[in-house]
Amino acid sequence: MNLAAAWIRVSTGSQDESSQVRAIDKYAREHGITIVKTFRLRGYSASEGAQEPALREAIADMGRGEYDTLIVTESSRLDRREDLDAQAEILLAIRSIGGDVLSISEPTFGKSDFAGRIVTLVAQHANAEKSKTVKATTYRGICMIRDNGAHHGHLPVFWESEGKRYAKQAYCTDPQAVNDIFERISKGESLSSVGRAYDLYPNSVKNLLRFGANHTGVVECSYTYEGVTETWTHRVSPVVDSALWWRANAVLDANKTSGRGNKGGRPVARPSNWLSGLLPCPGCGGKLYINGGLTPAGNPRTPMLRCGGYGKRRVSCGRFRGTDARPVVALIEGVFSEDRSDILAFQRVAGNAHERDALNAALRKIQAQFSAAEDDDEFDALVAERKAVKARLETFVVVPDRFDYAPTGQTVAQMWADGDDAVKRRMVRAVQAAWGLVLGFVEGKPEILMGSGAEDAFKDRNEFADLGNGLCFRWEADRAA
Ligand SMILES: [Zn+2]
């Protein structure tokens, strides 16, 4: 007697499947009903009548006595079709085999056979009408939007639309910020870094960069009604020039590699001093750490460089007894703060392919504007512009791109002076990796050995010390200790 099937329908979009499941489970528990079967229909709208086979299956089940009730959260879940005969047929079929439909949110639904049927038919007819009316009114609105050439659809950040209903005009709220974002990205700044500067998610920054109307001044709008997609163009004032739009988008494309994903890992504690953990122990080759801080009496200790051994074990080897850190710090400071060699960046030093790309971008912009041209004058102007760009493209002589290390205008000494602890550590590490940088003692006095002086440890000397981020500096002969 108390066996039932749950009927759950979610059309694509907003409706929530799990909330229907929870409501039906709760109702069944409170009324001593056991759910023996669950029909789940998702991904398509009930107004297309696609659930009919499932209804027929439910009727067949009830005919065999597997359960006698179909539970829904509201009657609109059952059917929203316009064919009242088909609805009546299904409901009569359920009643005629002794089954019933139970709607949790409509207590009067199916209380008596006669009233139940009437309520059911009326409710379902209303559902069908509502579905039809909503669609038709939406479509009428969209037609007006289309005829007005108004905006419809999503906009990225810094873009909004204003104006009367059906005549909304999209516009950029902050062209300066948009230009700045395009500039930053085209210069290689990361999405998350730009996002931090503007309090945006990296994805919002990306959507803004991909929004073509930023440079074409044309938004492609579309709406699909009864399987037919309408498209129209909406004109806006462009805010960035095509070359810049192209450069920033080229950077995005170039960064679409699998190597850019998050590789996991966890943040580690900040070292208390930039030198801590950088120099190898003269005794065992482990790492030297700075022990400093205060004595129990509150006086500052003499900061000492002591062996911290290897990796996780962090046990001193005992062969190196430690040394005052201050002269060592002064020595390394001396090495870097007097180094006048240029910081170099890997840059294009010749080539004009980027100019051709900018011309191609201009061509695409003209192409997009064609579709939105309103009068003959505008059209003629576009044709002339297109001819001019085409002519320039045809006579364009490509000078192949050549990349090389070019000075950034900054010296090693300046970078050292301006850098925080992280920069200093990176610089010392770069030199260590490229040329070697070790601590030695001559007559008990500490010395920093680089290059040939450290050659025992570093046989292969590189030409460049790589600082990461495409920056480096070159080995200078006088750097050898
Ligand atoms: Zn050691």
Side-chain angles (χ1 to χ4, degrees):
M1 180 63 209
N2 287 330
L3 299 180
W7 183 269
I8 288 151
R9 180 174 68 73
V10 246
S11 54
T12 321
S14 56
Q15 285 153 328
D16 185 10
E17 180 179 341
S18 61
S19 74
Q20 290 183 46
V21 173
R22 273 199 304 277
I24 292 176
D25 281 351
K26 183 164 175 274
Y27 184 90
R29 259 200 321 279
E30 286 166 0
H31 294 81
I33 300 168
T34 310
I35 306 285
V36 295
K37 187 169 187 169
T38 301
F39 292 91
R40 286 169 203 269
L41 294 103
R42 21 177 131 76
Y44 46 81
S45 176
S47 29
E48 275 141 41
Q51 79 277 40
E52 195 171 317
L55 272 170
R56 302 247 168 242
E57 186 185 334
I59 292 166
D61 290 347
M62 288 191 257
R64 287 192 296 272
E66 290 175 18
Y67 46 89
D68 52 27
T69 311
L70 207 52
I71 304 187
V72 293
T73 52
E74 60 254 332
S75 62
S76 67
R77 301 289 176 200
L78 202 56
D79 204 327
R80 217 184 227 189
R81 292 170 308 165
E82 284 139 59
D83 183 355
L84 270 174
D85 289 350
Q87 293 175 9
E89 193 197 327
I90 285 170
L91 283 158
L92 285 169
I94 291 176
R95 294 298 166 87
S96 66
I97 50 156
D100 199 2
V101 177
L102 200 156
S103 167
I104 294 173
S105 61
E106 293 143 296
T108 58
F109 192 88
K111 279 291 179 219
S112 77
D113 269 10
F114 178 72
R117 246 170 259 162
I118 300 297
V119 169
T120 304
L121 290 177
V122 169
Q124 295 206 347
H125 181 67
N127 288 335
E129 283 298 308
K130 180 183 157 208
S131 176
K132 216 159 68 180
T133 323
V134 167
K135 271 196 175 167
T137 24
T138 314
Y139 182 63
R140 274 203 301 281
I142 293 289
C143 286
M144 291 169 70
I145 292 172
R146 181 201 58 200
D147 297 343
N148 290 338
H151 183 259
H152 168 76
H154 293 288
L155 287 167
V157 287
F158 295 121
W159 280 85
E160 273 172 24
S161 60
E162 64 176 5
K164 288 212 187 75
R165 203 171 176 195
Y166 308 134
K168 289 210 182 293
Q169 172 65 46
Y171 67 102
C172 178
T173 56
D174 193 346
Q176 213 182 336
V178 172
N179 267 287
D180 182 48
I181 289 175
F182 271 85
E183 285 286 353
R184 282 166 179 247
I185 295 294
S186 67
K187 284 178 185 148
E189 196 171 328
S190 71
L191 289 173
S192 40
S193 158
V194 172
R196 272 194 296 281
Y198 283 93
D199 193 22
L200 297 170
Y201 289 109
N203 247 336
S204 309
V205 178
K206 193 154 97 190
N207 291 341
L208 174 68
L209 294 166
R210 293 297 198 202
F211 186 53
N214 275 314
H215 81 111
T216 61
V218 176
V219 185
E220 299 281 344
C221 303
S222 73
Y223 183 76
T224 303
Y225 178 69
E226 297 196 328
V228 180
T229 302
E230 300 255 7
T231 60
W232 69 95
T233 51
H234 172 64
R235 313 202 66 177
V236 296
S237 321
V239 287
V240 298
D241 67 62
S242 290
L244 179 57
W245 188 87
W246 174 83
R247 284 208 307 277
N249 276 274
V251 168
L252 284 192
D253 293 337
N255 282 341
K256 267 196 286 183
T257 71
S258 58
R260 302 278 299 200
N262 186 352
K263 298 283 194 298
R266 60 194 167 86
V268 292
R270 275 176 68 91
S272 56
N273 180 289
W274 57 264
L275 187 56
S276 219
L278 277 184
L279 292 172
C281 167
C284 68
K287 292 277 184 248
L288 296 179
Y289 294 87
I290 292 194
N291 297 131
L294 303 175
T295 60
N299 302 313
R301 276 185 224 275
T302 303
M304 293 291 283
L305 266 175
R306 292 187 198 282
C307 174
Y310 284 94
K312 282 183 192 155
R313 266 177 56 78
R314 292 289 198 105
V315 177
S316 173
C317 63
R319 289 194 289 276
F320 176 67
R321 290 285 165 199
T323 181
D324 187 343
R326 288 167 301 181
V328 180
V329 167
L331 280 169
I332 298 178
E333 290 269 6
V335 169
F336 284 92
S337 59
E338 278 157 31
D339 192 328
R340 306 268 162 246
S341 49
D342 287 312
I343 300 288
L344 306 172
F346 200 60
Q347 289 173 343
R348 172 165 41 216
V349 292
N352 60 359
H354 59 293
E355 287 167 24
R356 186 192 48 191
D357 291 330
L359 282 173
N360 276 321
L363 205 58
R364 280 200 297 276
K365 172 181 173 174
I366 296 167
Q367 225 100 39
Q369 286 175 337
F370 267 129
S371 56
E374 271 155 9
D375 54 51
D376 286 353
D377 287 351
E378 203 179 348
F379 204 77
D380 290 346
L382 282 171
V383 171
E385 203 183 328
R386 183 164 181 271
K387 265 191 188 149
V389 174
K390 277 236 155 187
R392 282 186 62 196
L393 268 172
E394 270 158 25
T395 57
F396 194 86
V397 182
V398 180
V399 178
D401 282 341
R402 203 158 53 75
F403 291 86
D404 201 355
Y405 292 98
T408 58
Q410 198 181 27
T411 64
V412 171
Q414 282 164 346
M415 184 184 253
W416 182 266
D418 298 343
D420 57 10
D421 283 3
V423 169
K424 287 183 173 159
R425 286 175 73 82
R426 204 162 70 220
M427 292 176 80
V428 176
R429 283 234 164 94
V431 169
Q432 277 186 318
W435 309 316
L437 187 152
V438 297
L439 177 65
F441 289 90
V442 175
E443 291 168 5
K445 279 193 158 178
E447 279 206 341
I448 292 297
L449 305 173
M450 283 172 67
S452 55
E455 217 152 19
D456 286 350
F458 297 90
K459 285 275 184 285
D460 304 314
R461 203 176 69 202
N462 299 304
E463 191 186 357
F464 296 104
D466 185 1
L467 291 165
N469 298 339
L471 297 177
C472 63
F473 53 102
R474 210 182 282 266
W475 171 261
E476 308 286 348
D478 62 359
R479 209 179 263 130

